[in-house]
Amino acid sequence: MIPAAVRSLIESVTGQPVTVVRPLSSGHNASVHTVTLGDGRRLVAKVGRGLEPEGFMLRYLAEHSRLPVPAVHYGDDALLLMDHVEGGGTLTAAAEEHAAELVAELHGIKAPRYGFARDTLIGPLPQPNAESDDWIAFFRERRLLHMARAALEEGRIDIGLMAGIERLAARLPELIGEPAPPSLIHGDLWGGNILASGGRIAGFIDPALYHADPEVELAFTTLFGTFGEAFFRRYGALRPLRPGFFEVRRDLYNLYPLLVHVRLFGGSYAGAVARTVRRFAG
């Protein structure tokens, strides 16, 4: 159940009594509930800590893109109240093609620099976004080495693996080559954050947005098999991929979400990082 003070806040914000609360899930920094109001509306209440950035990011996407995201009714560090989006459907080939069209349009939103005007989160973890004209330097310092150093400090990786990551980071200019211009990305596109219904995408949730080479987003969609051939065929027709993405850059870019998972879950993810490091560190 949600605390009585949170229930009262929801009733104050909506002007309706809360009639039913059902748990949906729980995570590292919050629990998620469906809330039914007296007028029949269903909302989602996320209750925990550090939630303000998520509300900001959802509102930003709603205001600056056509990506379908739930409307936010209230957001502070302890409560995020948003529309309930009906999902539960599978990511069929048709849904993947629809996702490709939505993501390609999102990636068409350009910015003058990589990063973002404020820091954001990926899951519960801080994501520094100090802006840069240099994508490779941004990815090296604000993504790869930032997350690896935090993992080292937390005892999730050892000094040997850290040294390998640093060697790989020094090779990024030759491995990545010339990046695409800064594009707006969702930042956390895996299956749990994509809601589908009836062969269409109903909504995207839990963003980790910033401006990036969009390949970093495309790479993440392959890490856990979120999207497959139908997605990439349609996306490629709209925004052709540079040669070498699947062969090299996909695995390089996936080091970042792998390190996120190392920090959150440890275990086999450190082994996956080590395999990529052995391949590319030289």
mmCIF file of all heavy atoms in Angstrom, residues 25-74:
data_model
loop_
_atom_site.group_PDB
_atom_site.id
_atom_site.type_symbol
_atom_site.label_atom_id
_atom_site.label_comp_id
_atom_site.label_asym_id
_atom_site.label_seq_id
_atom_site.Cartn_x
_atom_site.Cartn_y
_atom_site.Cartn_z
ATOM 1 N N SER A 25 4.874 -3.041 -9.395
ATOM 2 C CA SER A 25 6.250 -3.528 -9.336
ATOM 3 C C SER A 25 6.995 -2.744 -8.267
ATOM 4 O O SER A 25 6.489 -1.767 -7.720
ATOM 5 C CB SER A 25 6.944 -3.360 -10.694
ATOM 6 O OG SER A 25 7.057 -1.985 -11.025
ATOM 7 N N SER A 26 8.218 -3.186 -8.002
ATOM 8 C CA SER A 26 9.106 -2.429 -7.131
ATOM 9 C C SER A 26 10.510 -2.516 -7.700
ATOM 10 O O SER A 26 10.856 -3.489 -8.386
ATOM 11 C CB SER A 26 9.075 -2.973 -5.702
ATOM 12 O OG SER A 26 9.487 -4.322 -5.664
ATOM 13 N N GLY A 27 11.299 -1.478 -7.439
ATOM 14 C CA GLY A 27 12.644 -1.424 -7.999
ATOM 15 C C GLY A 27 13.643 -0.923 -6.983
ATOM 16 O O GLY A 27 13.417 -1.005 -5.771
ATOM 17 N N HIS A 28 14.742 -0.359 -7.506
ATOM 18 C CA HIS A 28 15.831 0.051 -6.635
ATOM 19 C C HIS A 28 15.489 1.276 -5.807
ATOM 20 O O HIS A 28 16.003 1.437 -4.704
ATOM 21 C CB HIS A 28 17.083 0.338 -7.480
ATOM 22 C CG HIS A 28 17.651 -0.901 -8.106
ATOM 23 N ND1 HIS A 28 18.542 -1.719 -7.470
ATOM 24 C CD2 HIS A 28 17.437 -1.463 -9.319
ATOM 25 C CE1 HIS A 28 18.872 -2.735 -8.255
ATOM 26 N NE2 HIS A 28 18.208 -2.603 -9.380
ATOM 27 N N ASN A 29 14.661 2.148 -6.336
ATOM 28 C CA ASN A 29 14.389 3.388 -5.602
ATOM 29 C C ASN A 29 12.913 3.735 -5.497
ATOM 30 O O ASN A 29 12.563 4.814 -5.025
ATOM 31 C CB ASN A 29 15.128 4.562 -6.259
ATOM 32 C CG ASN A 29 14.619 4.852 -7.660
ATOM 33 O OD1 ASN A 29 14.187 3.954 -8.382
ATOM 34 N ND2 ASN A 29 14.672 6.113 -8.061
ATOM 35 N N ALA A 30 12.020 2.824 -5.925
ATOM 36 C CA ALA A 30 10.604 3.169 -5.910
ATOM 37 C C ALA A 30 9.738 1.922 -6.022
ATOM 38 O O ALA A 30 10.169 0.875 -6.516
ATOM 39 C CB ALA A 30 10.276 4.124 -7.055
ATOM 40 N N SER A 31 8.502 2.068 -5.563
ATOM 41 C CA SER A 31 7.462 1.077 -5.829
ATOM 42 C C SER A 31 6.437 1.711 -6.760
ATOM 43 O O SER A 31 6.225 2.928 -6.737
ATOM 44 C CB SER A 31 6.797 0.622 -4.526
ATOM 45 O OG SER A 31 6.245 1.724 -3.830
ATOM 46 N N VAL A 32 5.813 0.883 -7.592
ATOM 47 C CA VAL A 32 4.890 1.379 -8.611
ATOM 48 C C VAL A 32 3.516 0.760 -8.369
ATOM 49 O O VAL A 32 3.394 -0.442 -8.128
ATOM 50 C CB VAL A 32 5.404 1.057 -10.026
ATOM 51 C CG1 VAL A 32 4.484 1.674 -11.082
ATOM 52 C CG2 VAL A 32 6.839 1.538 -10.205
ATOM 53 N N HIS A 33 2.485 1.604 -8.442
ATOM 54 C CA HIS A 33 1.123 1.174 -8.147
ATOM 55 C C HIS A 33 0.169 1.723 -9.207
ATOM 56 O O HIS A 33 0.377 2.814 -9.744
ATOM 57 C CB HIS A 33 0.667 1.710 -6.784
ATOM 58 C CG HIS A 33 1.658 1.507 -5.692
ATOM 59 N ND1 HIS A 33 1.591 0.462 -4.799
ATOM 60 C CD2 HIS A 33 2.771 2.229 -5.349
ATOM 61 C CE1 HIS A 33 2.606 0.539 -3.952
ATOM 62 N NE2 HIS A 33 3.331 1.602 -4.271
ATOM 63 N N THR A 34 -0.894 0.980 -9.493
ATOM 64 C CA THR A 34 -2.021 1.551 -10.230
ATOM 65 C C THR A 34 -3.007 2.110 -9.209
ATOM 66 O O THR A 34 -3.252 1.503 -8.166
ATOM 67 C CB THR A 34 -2.728 0.520 -11.118
ATOM 68 O OG1 THR A 34 -3.171 -0.577 -10.321
ATOM 69 C CG2 THR A 34 -1.805 0.024 -12.212
ATOM 70 N N VAL A 35 -3.541 3.276 -9.538
ATOM 71 C CA VAL A 35 -4.456 3.977 -8.641
ATOM 72 C C VAL A 35 -5.748 4.253 -9.408
ATOM 73 O O VAL A 35 -5.721 4.864 -10.486
ATOM 74 C CB VAL A 35 -3.836 5.305 -8.153
ATOM 75 C CG1 VAL A 35 -4.845 6.084 -7.326
ATOM 76 C CG2 VAL A 35 -2.567 5.039 -7.349
ATOM 77 N N THR A 36 -6.855 3.787 -8.879
ATOM 78 C CA THR A 36 -8.157 4.081 -9.471
ATOM 79 C C THR A 36 -8.823 5.189 -8.660
ATOM 80 O O THR A 36 -8.882 5.119 -7.421
ATOM 81 C CB THR A 36 -9.053 2.830 -9.491
ATOM 82 O OG1 THR A 36 -8.377 1.781 -10.199
ATOM 83 C CG2 THR A 36 -10.374 3.139 -10.189
ATOM 84 N N LEU A 37 -9.316 6.201 -9.370
ATOM 85 C CA LEU A 37 -9.953 7.348 -8.724
ATOM 86 C C LEU A 37 -11.468 7.202 -8.704
ATOM 87 O O LEU A 37 -12.037 6.353 -9.410
ATOM 88 C CB LEU A 37 -9.566 8.631 -9.459
ATOM 89 C CG LEU A 37 -8.068 8.921 -9.572
ATOM 90 C CD1 LEU A 37 -7.849 10.188 -10.391
ATOM 91 C CD2 LEU A 37 -7.419 9.050 -8.195
ATOM 92 N N GLY A 38 -12.092 8.050 -7.937
ATOM 93 C CA GLY A 38 -13.543 8.004 -7.811
ATOM 94 C C GLY A 38 -14.286 8.205 -9.113
ATOM 95 O O GLY A 38 -15.396 7.710 -9.282
ATOM 96 N N ASP A 39 -13.685 8.945 -10.066
ATOM 97 C CA ASP A 39 -14.346 9.167 -11.356
ATOM 98 C C ASP A 39 -14.016 8.085 -12.381
ATOM 99 O O ASP A 39 -14.382 8.200 -13.547
ATOM 100 C CB ASP A 39 -13.981 10.546 -11.907
ATOM 101 C CG ASP A 39 -12.480 10.716 -12.146
ATOM 102 O OD1 ASP A 39 -11.724 9.738 -11.974
ATOM 103 O OD2 ASP A 39 -12.060 11.843 -12.494
ATOM 104 N N GLY A 40 -13.309 7.035 -11.928
ATOM 105 C CA GLY A 40 -13.015 5.905 -12.804
ATOM 106 C C GLY A 40 -11.669 5.959 -13.494
ATOM 107 O O GLY A 40 -11.244 4.973 -14.103
ATOM 108 N N ARG A 41 -11.001 7.101 -13.434
ATOM 109 C CA ARG A 41 -9.680 7.183 -14.074
ATOM 110 C C ARG A 41 -8.684 6.278 -13.382
ATOM 111 O O ARG A 41 -8.717 6.094 -12.166
ATOM 112 C CB ARG A 41 -9.174 8.624 -14.037
ATOM 113 C CG ARG A 41 -9.792 9.544 -15.063
ATOM 114 C CD ARG A 41 -9.152 10.927 -14.954
ATOM 115 N NE ARG A 41 -9.479 11.587 -13.688
ATOM 116 C CZ ARG A 41 -8.772 12.581 -13.166
ATOM 117 N NH1 ARG A 41 -7.678 13.016 -13.776
ATOM 118 N NH2 ARG A 41 -9.159 13.138 -12.025
ATOM 119 N N ARG A 42 -7.736 5.751 -14.185
ATOM 120 C CA ARG A 42 -6.642 4.948 -13.640
ATOM 121 C C ARG A 42 -5.333 5.686 -13.898
ATOM 122 O O ARG A 42 -5.040 6.088 -15.029
ATOM 123 C CB ARG A 42 -6.577 3.559 -14.275
ATOM 124 C CG ARG A 42 -7.753 2.672 -13.934
ATOM 125 C CD ARG A 42 -7.643 1.341 -14.650
ATOM 126 N NE ARG A 42 -6.550 0.538 -14.104
ATOM 127 C CZ ARG A 42 -5.960 -0.458 -14.763
ATOM 128 N NH1 ARG A 42 -6.326 -0.725 -16.010
ATOM 129 N NH2 ARG A 42 -5.011 -1.161 -14.197
ATOM 130 N N LEU A 43 -4.563 5.869 -12.858
ATOM 131 C CA LEU A 43 -3.258 6.507 -12.941
ATOM 132 C C LEU A 43 -2.203 5.538 -12.428
ATOM 133 O O LEU A 43 -2.513 4.500 -11.833
ATOM 134 C CB LEU A 43 -3.229 7.800 -12.118
ATOM 135 C CG LEU A 43 -4.261 8.875 -12.458
ATOM 136 C CD1 LEU A 43 -4.105 10.060 -11.509
ATOM 137 C CD2 LEU A 43 -4.142 9.327 -13.908
ATOM 138 N N VAL A 44 -0.960 5.890 -12.673
ATOM 139 C CA VAL A 44 0.177 5.146 -12.120
ATOM 140 C C VAL A 44 0.882 6.053 -11.133
ATOM 141 O O VAL A 44 1.204 7.213 -11.463
ATOM 142 C CB VAL A 44 1.143 4.684 -13.228
ATOM 143 C CG1 VAL A 44 2.422 4.112 -12.618
ATOM 144 C CG2 VAL A 44 0.468 3.643 -14.114
ATOM 145 N N ALA A 45 1.104 5.553 -9.943
ATOM 146 C CA ALA A 45 1.831 6.292 -8.910
ATOM 147 C C ALA A 45 3.142 5.583 -8.627
ATOM 148 O O ALA A 45 3.145 4.406 -8.255
ATOM 149 C CB ALA A 45 1.006 6.396 -7.635
ATOM 150 N N LYS A 46 4.223 6.291 -8.820
ATOM 151 C CA LYS A 46 5.548 5.787 -8.487
ATOM 152 C C LYS A 46 5.963 6.473 -7.195
ATOM 153 O O LYS A 46 6.004 7.709 -7.126
ATOM 154 C CB LYS A 46 6.524 6.099 -9.622
ATOM 155 C CG LYS A 46 7.774 5.249 -9.637
ATOM 156 C CD LYS A 46 8.499 5.395 -10.984
ATOM 157 C CE LYS A 46 9.651 4.411 -11.077
ATOM 158 N NZ LYS A 46 10.300 4.484 -12.417
ATOM 159 N N VAL A 47 6.273 5.695 -6.179
ATOM 160 C CA VAL A 47 6.520 6.226 -4.839
ATOM 161 C C VAL A 47 7.906 5.783 -4.385
ATOM 162 O O VAL A 47 8.226 4.590 -4.425
ATOM 163 C CB VAL A 47 5.457 5.720 -3.839
ATOM 164 C CG1 VAL A 47 5.696 6.322 -2.459
ATOM 165 C CG2 VAL A 47 4.053 6.039 -4.334
ATOM 166 N N GLY A 48 8.736 6.747 -3.993
ATOM 167 C CA GLY A 48 10.070 6.367 -3.557
ATOM 168 C C GLY A 48 10.938 7.568 -3.284
ATOM 169 O O GLY A 48 10.560 8.458 -2.529
ATOM 170 N N ARG A 49 12.092 7.607 -3.941
ATOM 171 C CA ARG A 49 13.025 8.716 -3.754
ATOM 172 C C ARG A 49 13.726 8.995 -5.075
ATOM 173 O O ARG A 49 13.890 8.103 -5.908
ATOM 174 C CB ARG A 49 14.054 8.396 -2.661
ATOM 175 C CG ARG A 49 14.950 7.217 -2.988
ATOM 176 C CD ARG A 49 15.860 6.831 -1.822
ATOM 177 N NE ARG A 49 16.839 5.818 -2.220
ATOM 178 C CZ ARG A 49 16.603 4.527 -2.301
ATOM 179 N NH1 ARG A 49 15.397 4.063 -2.008
ATOM 180 N NH2 ARG A 49 17.549 3.671 -2.678
ATOM 181 N N GLY A 50 14.151 10.243 -5.255
ATOM 182 C CA GLY A 50 14.905 10.612 -6.452
ATOM 183 C C GLY A 50 14.108 10.547 -7.730
ATOM 184 O O GLY A 50 14.665 10.290 -8.806
ATOM 185 N N LEU A 51 12.806 10.827 -7.684
ATOM 186 C CA LEU A 51 11.935 10.641 -8.847
ATOM 187 C C LEU A 51 11.772 11.901 -9.702
ATOM 188 O O LEU A 51 11.256 11.819 -10.822
ATOM 189 C CB LEU A 51 10.555 10.162 -8.396
ATOM 190 C CG LEU A 51 10.536 8.827 -7.639
ATOM 191 C CD1 LEU A 51 9.121 8.507 -7.193
ATOM 192 C CD2 LEU A 51 11.098 7.709 -8.497
ATOM 193 N N GLU A 52 12.191 13.050 -9.199
ATOM 194 C CA GLU A 52 11.985 14.300 -9.952
ATOM 195 C C GLU A 52 12.569 14.262 -11.355
ATOM 196 O O GLU A 52 11.911 14.703 -12.314
ATOM 197 C CB GLU A 52 12.557 15.476 -9.162
ATOM 198 C CG GLU A 52 12.361 16.832 -9.844
ATOM 199 C CD GLU A 52 13.411 17.178 -10.890
ATOM 200 O OE1 GLU A 52 14.549 16.678 -10.762
ATOM 201 O OE2 GLU A 52 13.092 17.921 -11.839
ATOM 202 N N PRO A 53 13.803 13.733 -11.554
ATOM 203 C CA PRO A 53 14.338 13.720 -12.924
ATOM 204 C C PRO A 53 13.480 12.925 -13.905
ATOM 205 O O PRO A 53 13.369 13.306 -15.077
ATOM 206 C CB PRO A 53 15.718 13.089 -12.753
ATOM 207 C CG PRO A 53 16.098 13.382 -11.337
ATOM 208 C CD PRO A 53 14.815 13.280 -10.578
ATOM 209 N N GLU A 54 12.869 11.837 -13.450
ATOM 210 C CA GLU A 54 12.031 11.053 -14.353
ATOM 211 C C GLU A 54 10.817 11.847 -14.809
ATOM 212 O O GLU A 54 10.457 11.836 -15.997
ATOM 213 C CB GLU A 54 11.600 9.753 -13.686
ATOM 214 C CG GLU A 54 10.789 8.847 -14.604
ATOM 215 C CD GLU A 54 10.380 7.549 -13.943
ATOM 216 O OE1 GLU A 54 10.944 7.199 -12.890
ATOM 217 O OE2 GLU A 54 9.482 6.873 -14.487
ATOM 218 N N GLY A 55 10.181 12.543 -13.869
ATOM 219 C CA GLY A 55 9.054 13.391 -14.249
ATOM 220 C C GLY A 55 9.468 14.475 -15.215
ATOM 221 O O GLY A 55 8.768 14.758 -16.196
ATOM 222 N N PHE A 56 10.630 15.088 -14.965
ATOM 223 C CA PHE A 56 11.135 16.110 -15.883
ATOM 224 C C PHE A 56 11.338 15.525 -17.269
ATOM 225 O O PHE A 56 10.957 16.139 -18.286
ATOM 226 C CB PHE A 56 12.456 16.682 -15.359
ATOM 227 C CG PHE A 56 13.218 17.456 -16.407
ATOM 228 C CD1 PHE A 56 12.893 18.767 -16.693
ATOM 229 C CD2 PHE A 56 14.231 16.839 -17.133
ATOM 230 C CE1 PHE A 56 13.559 19.464 -17.692
ATOM 231 C CE2 PHE A 56 14.911 17.538 -18.125
ATOM 232 C CZ PHE A 56 14.576 18.846 -18.408
ATOM 233 N N MET A 57 11.951 14.351 -17.352
ATOM 234 C CA MET A 57 12.263 13.772 -18.659
ATOM 235 C C MET A 57 11.002 13.410 -19.431
ATOM 236 O O MET A 57 10.925 13.622 -20.652
ATOM 237 C CB MET A 57 13.180 12.558 -18.490
ATOM 238 C CG MET A 57 14.589 12.919 -18.052
ATOM 239 S SD MET A 57 15.741 11.520 -18.071
ATOM 240 C CE MET A 57 15.241 10.608 -16.608
ATOM 241 N N LEU A 58 10.004 12.863 -18.750
ATOM 242 C CA LEU A 58 8.748 12.546 -19.431
ATOM 243 C C LEU A 58 8.082 13.817 -19.956
ATOM 244 O O LEU A 58 7.574 13.843 -21.086
ATOM 245 C CB LEU A 58 7.810 11.802 -18.484
ATOM 246 C CG LEU A 58 8.180 10.355 -18.171
ATOM 247 C CD1 LEU A 58 7.320 9.813 -17.045
ATOM 248 C CD2 LEU A 58 8.061 9.466 -19.412
ATOM 249 N N ARG A 59 8.086 14.850 -19.155
ATOM 250 C CA ARG A 59 7.495 16.118 -19.610
ATOM 251 C C ARG A 59 8.285 16.701 -20.775
ATOM 252 O O ARG A 59 7.697 17.261 -21.716
ATOM 253 C CB ARG A 59 7.443 17.105 -18.450
ATOM 254 C CG ARG A 59 6.326 16.818 -17.453
ATOM 255 C CD ARG A 59 6.423 17.701 -16.241
ATOM 256 N NE ARG A 59 5.213 17.651 -15.416
ATOM 257 C CZ ARG A 59 5.222 17.739 -14.098
ATOM 258 N NH1 ARG A 59 6.363 17.898 -13.448
ATOM 259 N NH2 ARG A 59 4.090 17.681 -13.419
ATOM 260 N N TYR A 60 9.605 16.587 -20.725
ATOM 261 C CA TYR A 60 10.431 17.120 -21.806
ATOM 262 C C TYR A 60 10.112 16.404 -23.117
ATOM 263 O O TYR A 60 9.948 17.043 -24.169
ATOM 264 C CB TYR A 60 11.914 16.973 -21.469
ATOM 265 C CG TYR A 60 12.825 17.649 -22.474
ATOM 266 C CD1 TYR A 60 13.220 18.973 -22.300
ATOM 267 C CD2 TYR A 60 13.259 16.984 -23.626
ATOM 268 C CE1 TYR A 60 14.023 19.600 -23.228
ATOM 269 C CE2 TYR A 60 14.054 17.603 -24.565
ATOM 270 C CZ TYR A 60 14.442 18.918 -24.356
ATOM 271 O OH TYR A 60 15.235 19.552 -25.290
ATOM 272 N N LEU A 61 10.031 15.083 -23.056
ATOM 273 C CA LEU A 61 9.708 14.331 -24.275
ATOM 274 C C LEU A 61 8.319 14.689 -24.786
ATOM 275 O O LEU A 61 8.106 14.805 -25.995
ATOM 276 C CB LEU A 61 9.809 12.829 -23.999
ATOM 277 C CG LEU A 61 11.221 12.273 -23.862
ATOM 278 C CD1 LEU A 61 11.182 10.838 -23.344
ATOM 279 C CD2 LEU A 61 11.965 12.330 -25.203
ATOM 280 N N ALA A 62 7.362 14.881 -23.893
ATOM 281 C CA ALA A 62 6.010 15.250 -24.306
ATOM 282 C C ALA A 62 5.981 16.615 -24.986
ATOM 283 O O ALA A 62 5.217 16.831 -25.936
ATOM 284 C CB ALA A 62 5.080 15.230 -23.095
ATOM 285 N N GLU A 63 6.815 17.527 -24.509
ATOM 286 C CA GLU A 63 6.807 18.895 -25.030
ATOM 287 C C GLU A 63 7.674 19.077 -26.270
ATOM 288 O O GLU A 63 7.414 19.982 -27.079
ATOM 289 C CB GLU A 63 7.285 19.855 -23.935
ATOM 290 C CG GLU A 63 6.321 19.981 -22.765
ATOM 291 C CD GLU A 63 6.929 20.702 -21.574
ATOM 292 O OE1 GLU A 63 8.065 21.207 -21.710
ATOM 293 O OE2 GLU A 63 6.277 20.748 -20.519
ATOM 294 N N HIS A 64 8.705 18.253 -26.424
ATOM 295 C CA HIS A 64 9.686 18.481 -27.482
ATOM 296 C C HIS A 64 9.733 17.375 -28.536
ATOM 297 O O HIS A 64 10.554 17.441 -29.458
ATOM 298 C CB HIS A 64 11.087 18.641 -26.875
ATOM 299 C CG HIS A 64 11.233 19.854 -26.018
ATOM 300 N ND1 HIS A 64 10.905 19.848 -24.680
ATOM 301 C CD2 HIS A 64 11.652 21.109 -26.301
ATOM 302 C CE1 HIS A 64 11.129 21.047 -24.170
ATOM 303 N NE2 HIS A 64 11.570 21.838 -25.127
ATOM 304 N N SER A 65 8.886 16.372 -28.413
ATOM 305 C CA SER A 65 8.880 15.291 -29.397
ATOM 306 C C SER A 65 7.464 14.761 -29.534
ATOM 307 O O SER A 65 6.564 15.142 -28.777
ATOM 308 C CB SER A 65 9.820 14.163 -28.965
ATOM 309 O OG SER A 65 9.211 13.331 -27.981
ATOM 310 N N ARG A 66 7.286 13.862 -30.492
ATOM 311 C CA ARG A 66 5.998 13.182 -30.639
ATOM 312 C C ARG A 66 6.061 11.749 -30.131
ATOM 313 O O ARG A 66 5.159 10.943 -30.406
ATOM 314 C CB ARG A 66 5.558 13.224 -32.097
ATOM 315 C CG ARG A 66 5.278 14.642 -32.598
ATOM 316 C CD ARG A 66 4.405 14.652 -33.836
ATOM 317 N NE ARG A 66 5.073 14.021 -34.970
ATOM 318 C CZ ARG A 66 4.507 13.833 -36.159
ATOM 319 N NH1 ARG A 66 3.260 14.236 -36.349
ATOM 320 N NH2 ARG A 66 5.176 13.268 -37.139
ATOM 321 N N LEU A 67 7.113 11.413 -29.387
ATOM 322 C CA LEU A 67 7.207 10.089 -28.797
ATOM 323 C C LEU A 67 6.061 9.909 -27.802
ATOM 324 O O LEU A 67 5.838 10.766 -26.944
ATOM 325 C CB LEU A 67 8.548 9.941 -28.080
ATOM 326 C CG LEU A 67 9.030 8.508 -27.818
ATOM 327 C CD1 LEU A 67 9.458 7.862 -29.128
ATOM 328 C CD2 LEU A 67 10.177 8.496 -26.816
ATOM 329 N N PRO A 68 5.308 8.817 -27.889
ATOM 330 C CA PRO A 68 4.191 8.624 -26.954
ATOM 331 C C PRO A 68 4.709 8.281 -25.560
ATOM 332 O O PRO A 68 5.355 7.255 -25.348
ATOM 333 C CB PRO A 68 3.409 7.456 -27.558
ATOM 334 C CG PRO A 68 4.411 6.704 -28.386
ATOM 335 C CD PRO A 68 5.379 7.729 -28.894
ATOM 336 N N VAL A 69 4.450 9.158 -24.607
ATOM 337 C CA VAL A 69 4.841 8.946 -23.208
ATOM 338 C C VAL A 69 3.638 9.276 -22.333
ATOM 339 O O VAL A 69 2.773 10.062 -22.728
ATOM 340 C CB VAL A 69 6.048 9.825 -22.806
ATOM 341 C CG1 VAL A 69 7.300 9.427 -23.582
ATOM 342 C CG2 VAL A 69 5.745 11.311 -23.006
ATOM 343 N N PRO A 70 3.563 8.693 -21.138
ATOM 344 C CA PRO A 70 2.430 9.021 -20.258
ATOM 345 C C PRO A 70 2.487 10.459 -19.782
ATOM 346 O O PRO A 70 3.562 10.977 -19.451
ATOM 347 C CB PRO A 70 2.599 8.037 -19.093
ATOM 348 C CG PRO A 70 4.031 7.618 -19.127
ATOM 349 C CD PRO A 70 4.440 7.664 -20.565
ATOM 350 N N ALA A 71 1.333 11.098 -19.744
ATOM 351 C CA ALA A 71 1.246 12.466 -19.225
ATOM 352 C C ALA A 71 1.522 12.461 -17.727
ATOM 353 O O ALA A 71 1.041 11.591 -16.995
ATOM 354 C CB ALA A 71 -0.132 13.046 -19.504
ATOM 355 N N VAL A 72 2.306 13.427 -17.275
ATOM 356 C CA VAL A 72 2.661 13.548 -15.863
ATOM 357 C C VAL A 72 1.724 14.556 -15.204
ATOM 358 O O VAL A 72 1.614 15.703 -15.633
ATOM 359 C CB VAL A 72 4.127 13.994 -15.702
ATOM 360 C CG1 VAL A 72 4.455 14.245 -14.231
ATOM 361 C CG2 VAL A 72 5.073 12.939 -16.284
ATOM 362 N N HIS A 73 1.057 14.127 -14.140
ATOM 363 C CA HIS A 73 0.143 14.998 -13.400
ATOM 364 C C HIS A 73 0.810 15.645 -12.194
ATOM 365 O O HIS A 73 0.393 16.711 -11.754
ATOM 366 C CB HIS A 73 -1.084 14.207 -12.949
ATOM 367 C CG HIS A 73 -1.874 13.641 -14.077
ATOM 368 N ND1 HIS A 73 -2.790 14.382 -14.797
ATOM 369 C CD2 HIS A 73 -1.861 12.403 -14.652
ATOM 370 C CE1 HIS A 73 -3.328 13.624 -15.748
ATOM 371 N NE2 HIS A 73 -2.773 12.433 -15.684
ATOM 372 N N TYR A 74 1.838 14.974 -11.673
ATOM 373 C CA TYR A 74 2.554 15.511 -10.519
ATOM 374 C C TYR A 74 3.905 14.820 -10.453
ATOM 375 O O TYR A 74 4.011 13.624 -10.729
ATOM 376 C CB TYR A 74 1.778 15.262 -9.227
ATOM 377 C CG TYR A 74 2.470 15.805 -7.992
ATOM 378 C CD1 TYR A 74 2.271 17.120 -7.587
ATOM 379 C CD2 TYR A 74 3.331 15.006 -7.242
ATOM 380 C CE1 TYR A 74 2.907 17.630 -6.457
ATOM 381 C CE2 TYR A 74 3.973 15.504 -6.117
ATOM 382 C CZ TYR A 74 3.766 16.814 -5.731
ATOM 383 O OH TYR A 74 4.402 17.317 -4.630
#
